[in-house]
Amino acid sequence: MIGDSLKRLYGYRCQMTGERIGNCYDTNVVEAHHIIPFTKSMNNDSSNLIIISPSYHRIIHAAKPEWDPNNLEFRYPNGIVDRVMLNKHLKRSGT
């Protein structure tokens, strides 16, 4: 599965924060998130997936930020901008 492969690629770390959640419990807790919702994009490729912590995943779903593919960042309605910290697979738009 693509999500599992990406989780391994990032060493089970959140791409947004760099954190490895659950490590002290000898477990790995990260999730694969569709950057553009699958129901809109029908894109299940790695280009539309990001590996994030469960907390970050909930924040994204609750706050509904816009994705900026040129800068690889989420832009929240309240003005906060969070840039991807770890990136080994996402391409910037136009590259």
Side-chain angles (χ1 to χ4, degrees):
M1 188 161 135
I2 296 169
D4 290 336
S5 296
L6 289 173
K7 290 174 187 179
R8 285 190 297 275
L9 177 66
Y10 289 98
Y12 301 93
R13 294 185 183 280
C14 175
Q15 283 185 255
M16 299 305 297
T17 66
E19 293 178 281
R20 186 168 176 193
I21 309 297
N23 195 37
C24 65
Y25 299 100
D26 199 25
T27 191
N28 301 303
V29 184
V30 288
E31 300 174 354
H33 170 73
H34 287 93
I35 297 168
I36 307 301
F38 181 76
T39 55
K40 291 181 181 179
S41 68
M42 301 306 282
N43 180 354
N44 203 33
D45 295 338
S46 63
S47 64
N48 191 38
L49 292 173
I50 190 166
I51 303 304
I52 53 179
S53 71
S55 295
Y56 206 92
H57 202 175
R58 285 188 170 165
I59 290 167
I60 288 175
H61 279 279
K64 299 182 180 11
E66 288 188 34
W67 173 248
D68 178 347
N70 294 315
N71 296 308
L72 300 180
E73 60 192 21
F74 286 105
R75 295 176 176 264
Y76 290 84
N78 69 356
I80 291 176
V81 176
D82 282 341
R83 183 170 283 171
V84 170
M85 180 182 281
L86 303 175
N87 182 36
K88 297 180 181 181
H89 81 286
L90 295 172
K91 305 282 188 237
R92 295 181 193 277
S93 284
T95 60

